Amino acid sequence: MSIDVLSVGGMVTDTFIRLVDDQASVTDNGEGKKTISMPFGVKIPFEHAEDIQAVGNAANASVSFARLGLKSALHANVGNDQAGRDMLAYLEDQKVDTRLIKVNSGKASNHHYVLWYKEERTILVKDEEYTYHWPHLRPDEMPKWIYFTSMGEGAEAFHDELAGWLVRHEDVKLAFQPGTFQIKMGAKKLAELYQQTDVLAVNREEAVQITGGDYKNLNELFDKLHALGPKTVVISDGPNGAYASDGEKRLKMPIYPDPSPPYERTGAGDAFTSTFVAALIHGADIEGALQWGPINSMSVVQHVGAQKGLLTHAQLEKLLQNSPRHYRATPL
């Protein structure tokens, strides 16, 4: 079976811990950086906890692509444990091709903990130490697109392998949604990968981290990100909407109206970016892709976790057809 899009990155089981509203507080430094605070050295009550399997940026994207009618596959690492077997079974049930997932003998699968406060979350992360290598792909495993996103530390050489493979396979397009570790690596170390990128997707804070540009100047951020090599750049800005540039036109897109206040925001960025890329694969231009992305984000934040609210192609199209008049892309 041919593959429309191969998602590449980490996979994890998340334990969501719902905090009581009056047991924490949030402060904002005025530049987009928020800090959660709780009493130190005491017992703090929480509402409840819930395990959600087979998540993480790449896994979330792979399920999103499958729901949107694409032939979706995932390359990630799991341990040879029950958690890993459960994740594989879940993905297969979601119609995600798992044949390129690497099962690591003697290793545990990744497990993160999510502090869920009101509609936002802070994730406690510890990734297992896997050995990362770009897989050998047979002709029937060759994707049209690669969706590359966050990986754990120790994967530095993997990025060079992927960049070299892309140079040799110019017909394969790359969407890159860098994670925390990849941003910390710095643009210089990932220069060849950025040069091979067709779509780069970051949030506004990440755009500043990568480029050193002015948080308040979106055009400067676009200029600096395009200078790294990506043909299309997407910058998401939470409740303020999203922006996209193809090097010629730059557009601003509002969020899709929430039917009710967001319940939990985990996966909103993954839903937006994967849906933007899915729209391009389906033949849309960046304006059409900008209209698709926020709809899936809106749906995801109405549920716990990153995948429960992901829409099918038909569901998304129906919401787009019924969108309010102001839900349109406008020049930046």
Side-chain angles (χ1 to χ4, degrees):
M1 182 182 71
S2 61
I3 296 171
D4 289 320
V5 54
L6 172 62
S7 301
V8 179
M11 183 162 60
V12 61
T13 296
D14 279 343
T15 295
F16 279 75
I17 304 170
R18 174 71 168 174
L19 302 178
V20 180
D21 285 357
D22 64 2
Q23 295 296 313
S25 61
V26 175
T27 56
D28 191 331
N29 70 352
E31 296 183 355
K33 184 176 181 180
K34 297 180 179 180
T35 302
I36 186 170
S37 302
M38 292 176 285
F40 181 69
V42 299
K43 293 181 178 180
I44 301 174
F46 65 92
E47 287 189 7
H48 66 272
E50 180 179 352
D51 288 337
I52 300 180
Q53 61 188 2
V55 291
N57 300 129
N60 296 338
S62 71
V63 173
S64 176
F65 290 130
R67 296 257 178 100
L68 292 170
L70 298 173
K71 295 176 181 176
S72 173
L74 176 63
H75 173 62
N77 283 265
V78 296
N80 186 22
D81 55 8
Q82 188 59 50
R85 290 186 286 275
D86 289 344
M87 286 192 276
L88 290 172
Y90 167 79
L91 289 170
E92 289 165 4
D93 186 58
Q94 297 299 311
K95 304 199 181 334
V96 174
D97 187 337
T98 63
R99 57 186 151 158
L100 293 174
I101 293 178
K102 181 182 177 184
V103 178
N104 293 264
S105 180
K107 296 281 188 178
S109 298
N110 287 322
H111 197 138
H112 296 167
Y113 296 86
V114 183
L115 300 181
W116 174 15
Y117 183 65
K118 297 185 177 180
E119 75 276 9
E120 284 288 0
R121 80 286 181 273
T122 296
I123 306 176
L124 305 181
V125 176
K126 180 184 181 299
D127 290 321
E128 299 296 325
E129 295 183 0
Y130 300 127
T131 300
Y132 300 98
H133 289 294
W134 179 247
H136 174 73
L137 300 180
R138 301 192 308 266
D140 64 321
E141 297 169 337
M142 194 66 63
K144 298 171 186 174
W145 279 77
I146 289 173
Y147 185 97
F148 185 41
T149 183
S150 59
M151 300 189 75
E153 293 190 33
E156 292 90 341
F158 183 93
H159 296 74
D160 295 330
E161 289 183 42
L162 174 56
W165 185 89
L166 288 164
V167 169
R168 299 190 299 275
H169 297 83
E170 295 180 350
D171 56 330
V172 179
K173 296 182 180 295
L174 174 67
F176 186 26
Q177 181 199 15
T180 302
F181 170 65
Q182 291 158 325
I183 292 172
K184 286 181 179 179
M185 287 176 67
K188 187 175 181 180
K189 288 185 179 179
L190 296 178
E192 189 174 1
L193 195 65
Y194 280 118
Q195 286 290 331
Q196 299 299 318
T197 297
D198 291 275
V199 177
L200 174 67
V202 294
N203 64 37
R204 194 164 182 165
E205 293 77 17
E206 291 166 343
V208 173
Q209 288 179 272
I210 292 168
T211 66
D214 183 356
Y215 179 88
K216 298 179 181 179
N217 190 334
L218 280 162
N219 281 305
E220 180 187 81
L221 293 175
F222 273 127
D223 289 341
K224 287 179 175 291
L225 290 170
H226 275 302
L228 296 175
K231 299 178 181 67
T232 296
V233 176
V234 185
I235 300 176
S236 57
D237 196 17
N240 296 319
Y243 315 89
S245 168
D246 62 4
E248 295 182 2
K249 59 183 176 182
R250 293 178 179 178
L251 301 172
K252 176 182 179 179
M253 191 73 198
I255 64 170
Y256 193 90
D258 293 312
S260 59
Y263 187 55
E264 193 274 314
R265 292 190 184 276
T266 299
D270 296 338
F272 169 82
T273 306
S274 60
T275 306
F276 182 94
V277 173
L280 296 180
I281 298 173
H282 277 292
D285 58 12
I286 65 165
E287 183 173 358
L290 273 176
Q291 290 182 318
W292 275 37
I295 298 177
N296 230 353
S297 290
M298 172 278 298
S299 182
V300 163
V301 301
Q302 298 297 317
H303 305 269
V304 179
Q307 297 177 16
K308 188 175 182 180
L310 289 171
L311 300 168
T312 65
H313 192 177
Q315 290 171 327
L316 191 147
E317 285 286 1
K318 183 177 181 180
L319 287 166
L320 180 58
Q321 290 171 9
N322 295 326
S323 63
R325 184 169 295 182
H326 77 272
Y327 186 70
R328 300 289 184 272
T330 56
L332 178 62

